[in-house]
Amino acid sequence: MKKLISANEVKDAAKKGQKQYFVDSNTIITLAAKDLARDLGIEFTTTESTANPTTVGNPISKNNEPQKSGGENEIDPEMIFQVVKAVLTNKLMANIPASSPESPFSSDRESKSGLKVVKGRTVKLETFDTGSPGTNVAYREVISKDESKMSAGFLTIEKSTFEWELDYEEIDVVLEGSLSITINGETYHAHQGDALLVPKGSKVTWSSSDYAKLFYVTYPANWADLRG
């Protein structure tokens, strides 16, 4: 195991009036120790003279082989590295603010007037519970009851059909694809660019044989609470 020479060892040698410090191939000298030794006039040497009492470091055995220390007081450089790394990592992590949940969309706001601009391309949809198993419908409300008397959001229907009863008024604009709406036994079709008004109290069957993306606006805004 390699031995580490730090500035403290150099200070101890200087207090004893030693001018040389013996090191071997199994010794690591820190930069601070090297700088301090230079300032104090202490020389690191790989050749130890038994006649020079001012030489310190690993003792020499009779066959000129450096004797190994007992190991109990030996410093493991790898252990020091891991400890320093852990301390620095914890310090850096402490300065990093806790991550907040990722927003489902980006928007710009003007707090004084209440203006809100939703970046439509950033909206991430989530599964919409239609009450009918096997449907592939998703939505994302982007304007809620906490902001307006109306709510608004995006809705997609992919190769699905489901029934829905409205306890609120709803306006829809077809952004992509096409949609079929059945009400009172009659079926109507809406395509990209078309707008729909669905009156309050309507029982409607929504359907898309391929894919449809809508932007909806409801009044009042608490449409989900009304269904509960």
Side-chain angles (χ1 to χ4, degrees):
M1 184 177 294
K2 291 183 180 294
K3 182 178 180 180
L4 182 70
I5 303 298
S6 68
N8 288 332
E9 281 77 15
V10 175
K11 289 179 181 178
D12 291 340
K15 290 178 181 179
K16 297 175 183 178
Q18 296 158 341
K19 297 299 182 182
Q20 288 185 321
Y21 202 117
F22 172 70
V23 295
D24 57 26
S25 58
N26 289 320
T27 305
I28 297 176
I29 307 172
T30 66
L31 292 177
K34 290 180 180 180
D35 291 341
L36 183 60
R38 183 176 62 252
D39 295 340
L40 297 177
I42 296 178
E43 177 187 2
F44 290 105
T45 178
T46 57
T47 303
E48 175 159 310
S49 172
T50 56
N52 186 355
T54 62
T55 303
V56 296
N58 290 332
I60 298 295
S61 65
K62 293 180 180 180
N63 58 1
N64 291 329
E65 290 290 335
Q67 294 180 356
K68 295 182 179 179
S69 63
E72 188 172 319
N73 297 322
E74 210 166 55
I75 301 175
D76 185 355
E78 177 63 24
M79 180 182 68
I80 295 176
F81 170 75
Q82 294 298 337
V83 171
V84 173
K85 180 180 178 182
V87 171
L88 292 176
T89 299
N90 290 336
K91 185 175 182 180
L92 290 173
M93 291 299 292
N95 293 329
I96 299 176
S99 58
S100 56
E102 184 180 358
S103 176
F105 58 87
S106 298
S107 63
D108 293 331
R109 298 172 181 267
E110 202 285 306
S111 57
K112 186 175 182 179
S113 66
L115 175 69
K116 179 178 181 180
V117 179
V118 177
K119 308 297 183 180
R121 294 183 180 181
T122 68
V123 175
K124 298 178 180 65
L125 305 181
E126 62 178 343
T127 301
F128 181 73
D129 184 9
T130 65
S132 301
T135 54
N136 188 1
V137 182
Y139 87 114
R140 173 65 64 187
E141 186 174 80
V142 296
I143 298 174
S144 69
K145 62 183 180 181
D146 297 328
E147 304 168 292
S148 171
K149 295 180 180 180
M150 302 177 290
S151 71
F154 295 89
L155 177 79
T156 60
I157 305 172
E158 187 171 356
K159 296 180 179 179
S160 300
T161 298
F162 65 96
E163 296 181 350
W164 197 258
E165 183 174 358
L166 287 76
D167 297 319
Y168 48 88
E169 294 181 327
E170 180 172 329
I171 295 176
D172 300 283
V173 178
V174 182
L175 302 178
E176 300 177 31
S178 59
L179 177 74
S180 296
I181 311 98
T182 300
I183 182 171
N184 295 330
E186 297 287 337
T187 299
Y188 301 87
H189 304 283
H191 305 278
Q192 183 176 4
D194 293 346
L196 304 82
L197 168 63
V198 186
K200 179 180 178 181
S202 300
K203 294 182 179 180
V204 181
T205 299
W206 302 87
S207 180
S208 179
S209 58
D210 188 13
Y211 175 81
K213 182 176 183 180
L214 314 175
F215 179 76
Y216 69 83
V217 178
T218 68
Y219 178 83
N222 61 335
W223 60 273
D225 298 336
L226 295 175
R227 290 188 57 80

